[in-house]
Amino acid sequence: MPKVDLGAKRIEKYIYFQLELALAFLGVNQTDAGRAIGITQSGFSQAFKGKTLTVWQLCQLLDELGLDVCIESK
C-alpha cells in the first residue's frame, strides 16, 4: 500500500479551505474565478473540487483577487 504524506494533504486541504473562504468573502463566483485563470466555470468547479489547480493557477487567482500567499513559521 502506498504511503501518503498526511502533512501535505492537510496543508492542501487548508489552502483550498482558505481560498473558498476568500472567494465567498469577496463575492467571487466560479465563473469569475475561472475567467481569472483562463478556464471555464465548469473547469474551475472540477479543478477546485478535485484540488487539481496548479500552483500557477492558484497564484494567478490570488493575484487577481488582490491577495497574497503568506508563508510563516508555526
Side-chain angles (χ1 to χ4, degrees):
M1 183 166 231
K3 291 185 178 184
V4 176
D5 183 351
L6 297 178
K9 286 293 181 189
R10 191 170 23 249
I11 291 168
E12 179 184 64
K13 186 176 180 178
Y14 177 77
I15 289 169
Y16 276 86
F17 177 72
Q18 291 298 316
L19 180 56
E20 185 174 19
L21 289 177
L23 292 171
F25 179 77
L26 296 171
V28 177
N29 60 37
Q30 291 183 349
T31 301
D32 293 335
R35 187 177 301 121
I37 58 174
I39 61 177
T40 64
Q41 177 276 325
S42 176
F44 181 82
S45 177
Q46 290 176 358
F48 193 85
K49 184 177 180 181
K51 295 179 176 58
T52 58
L53 291 168
T54 66
V55 171
W56 182 89
Q57 288 173 319
L58 288 169
C59 290
Q60 182 69 23
L61 180 55
L62 292 175
D63 188 51
E64 290 289 327
L65 296 174
L67 302 172
D68 288 324
V69 174
C70 178
I71 300 172
E72 55 187 49
S73 63
K74 293 183 180 182

